[in-house]
Amino acid sequence: FKKAVESLPSAPAIQHRAKRRILSWTNGLAATAAAALIAIGIWQYPALMLQWEADYLTATGDKSTVTLPDGSVMTLDTASAVAIDFNDGKRQIRLLQGEAFFEVKPDPQHPFRVAASYGEVEVRGTGFSVRADVDADRVVLEHGLVQVTRVGNGVDKAYLRPGEMIFASKTSLSGVSAADPSSTLAWRDGRLIFENQTFSHVLNELPRYFKGTVIVVDKRHEQLAVTGDYNLDNVEAAIRTLADAAGATINRLPGGIIILR
């Protein structure tokens, strides 16, 4: 019995082991928390950087009209952001995300420039929009005259006249094509208008204005031709109208999740 008792660890030894276990558990918890914070930081980094860079930005489903320092007027579409530089006579804007329409105050001595990811527009006084997408920027001219060049390449350039548009990508400018600003830029009036567009294209556009999530689990409707005029005051109703027209079923889950089949 004496030997058994002597073999038992002393109270300080037991306390030491308990402290080590607590320290190990605490360190593990701290490491997990740190990893979670890093993951959240990486996930939030693009949004944080956008807020840091932008002078003006809009949330999903919102639009905003701003009078710029030179008197020109800028209208931002949903989830859009710009940075501006009007110092020392400059009139320069960077479209960081989304789409913006510009009604430019004429000033022949100070060109008005808008640069997106791949294309740059230069004007003296006109009305046009620039949209930044993942693979290309789109420029649509409503009135006036604009020059479009590819960012970093002054050789590739084109001129647009009213009712024309062009796409700028990393490698080239597309050909100039016809556009109908009354439908292409209908978002300014709170509408989206499509004529003989594919179901997949329309379904890519409407969710840009929807604060929830749209999940498509059946691809059989993708190439169906769609013509419609959708009110952006109720995007969910617009998505339901689109689904009905395509013969798709729709289910709504809590949290603003819409599933199309």
Side-chain angles (χ1 to χ4, degrees):
F1 176 77
K2 181 179 180 181
K3 290 182 178 180
V5 172
E6 289 176 347
S7 66
L8 292 174
S10 63
I14 294 174
Q15 292 176 359
H16 181 65
R17 289 179 185 176
K19 288 180 179 178
R20 281 194 301 177
R21 290 195 189 98
I22 293 172
L23 183 60
S24 176
W25 179 83
T26 303
N27 289 340
L29 183 61
T32 302
L37 287 173
I38 291 172
I40 293 172
I42 293 173
W43 177 57
Q44 291 286 350
Y45 180 76
L48 293 173
M49 285 303 298
L50 186 68
Q51 292 183 28
W52 177 265
E53 290 185 79
D55 292 302
Y56 299 97
L57 69 166
T58 54
T60 298
D62 294 339
K63 66 177 184 289
S64 176
T65 299
V66 178
T67 300
L68 298 170
D70 68 332
S72 299
V73 177
M74 171 181 69
T75 303
L76 292 178
D77 195 9
T78 178
S80 300
V82 299
I84 69 171
D85 182 1
F86 280 74
N87 294 321
D88 302 323
K90 293 194 292 286
R91 299 201 294 171
Q92 298 181 355
I93 291 178
R94 283 191 301 131
L95 180 62
L96 305 172
Q97 178 179 287
E99 183 170 4
F101 180 85
F102 302 92
E103 190 69 52
V104 180
K105 183 177 181 179
D107 185 350
Q109 304 304 316
H110 300 93
F112 189 100
R113 295 185 175 92
V114 179
S117 299
Y118 309 108
E120 182 175 88
V121 184
E122 180 177 321
V123 301
R124 263 72 178 181
T126 187
F128 67 99
S129 78
V130 182
R131 172 170 165 172
D133 284 318
V134 175
D135 298 323
D137 302 327
R138 185 191 70 185
V139 180
V140 177
L141 180 62
E142 184 176 61
H143 60 85
L145 177 69
V146 301
Q147 173 185 290
V148 182
T149 58
R150 193 156 56 86
V151 170
N153 185 327
V155 176
D156 291 348
K157 65 177 62 177
Y159 293 91
L160 298 186
R161 298 186 180 281
E164 293 182 337
M165 67 180 179
I166 195 170
F167 293 86
S169 69
K170 184 177 181 180
T171 58
S172 64
L173 291 179
S174 72
V176 175
S177 58
D180 180 4
S182 64
S183 59
T184 306
L185 305 178
W187 58 264
R188 294 177 298 171
D189 300 318
R191 312 195 70 81
L192 286 184
I193 300 173
F194 304 97
E195 184 173 355
N196 290 324
Q197 297 289 331
T198 63
F199 177 85
S200 60
H201 173 75
V202 178
L203 199 55
N204 282 335
E205 290 297 300
L206 282 174
R208 294 176 56 233
Y209 300 83
F210 183 54
K211 299 181 188 294
T213 302
V214 178
I215 301 173
V216 181
V217 296
D218 191 335
K219 307 294 185 182
R220 61 193 171 94
H221 307 291
E222 281 189 337
Q223 299 307 311
L224 183 70
V226 174
T227 295
D229 184 338
Y230 299 94
N231 190 334
L232 295 176
D233 288 340
N234 190 336
V235 182
E236 182 173 339
I239 294 172
R240 289 183 178 277
T241 300
L242 173 65
D244 289 342
T249 59
I250 186 169
N251 298 104
R252 193 185 195 284
L253 301 180
I257 299 174
I258 291 178
I259 299 178
L260 289 175
R261 303 176 186 277

